């Protein structure tokens, strides 16, 4: 199984966490409340992103870091050990 692209778009009106497979197809898309994933001082809450990934059956791939942009964070993930197949949307 390959790596999955993860993107969190954090916005004042809504936040979306998207997981795509190697072909670019969206396999998971979850909406969160506005500004979810931000700490009070405005920096990105990476622990919240990691926790959300685990609930979907993924974890950040070894040697991969979060890359941040303006109101977004991106990384590569792989299926978490013992999780259901991440290929099947929940």
């Amino acid at each position: 199984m390959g790596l999955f692209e993860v993107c969190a778009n954090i916005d004042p009106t809504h936040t979306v966490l998207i997981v795509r497979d190697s072909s670019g197809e969206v396999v998971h898309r979850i909406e969160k409340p506005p500004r979810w994933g931000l700490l009070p001082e405005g920096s990105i809450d990476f622990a919240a992103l990691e926790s959300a990934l685990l609930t979907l059956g993924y974890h950040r791939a070894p040697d991969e870091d979060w890359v941040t942009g303006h109101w977004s964070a991106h990384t590569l993930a792989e299926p978490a050990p013992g999780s259901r197949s991440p290929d099947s949307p929940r």
Side-chain angles (χ1 to χ4, degrees):
M1 178 158 301
L3 295 176
F4 294 81
E5 178 189 359
V6 179
C7 176
N9 290 310
I10 303 165
D11 189 274
T13 59
H14 69 286
T15 295
V16 179
L17 182 69
I18 298 171
V19 179
R20 297 177 193 276
D21 66 14
S22 59
S23 72
E25 182 178 343
V26 174
V27 292
H28 292 284
R29 182 182 190 281
I30 56 173
E31 291 198 28
K32 295 288 193 177
R35 298 181 60 87
W36 175 90
L38 290 181
L39 295 170
E41 68 274 6
S43 61
I44 294 177
D45 184 352
F46 295 107
L49 297 178
E50 300 276 347
S51 178
L53 275 181
L54 281 174
T55 64
L56 294 174
Y58 302 90
H59 66 114
R60 189 167 34 90
D63 301 322
E64 294 295 333
D65 290 322
W66 286 97
V67 177
T68 59
H70 182 70
W71 294 87
S72 67
H74 307 263
T75 195
L76 294 176
E78 62 186 11
S83 68
R84 282 183 0 140
S85 171
D87 289 330
S88 56
R90 298 181 189 209

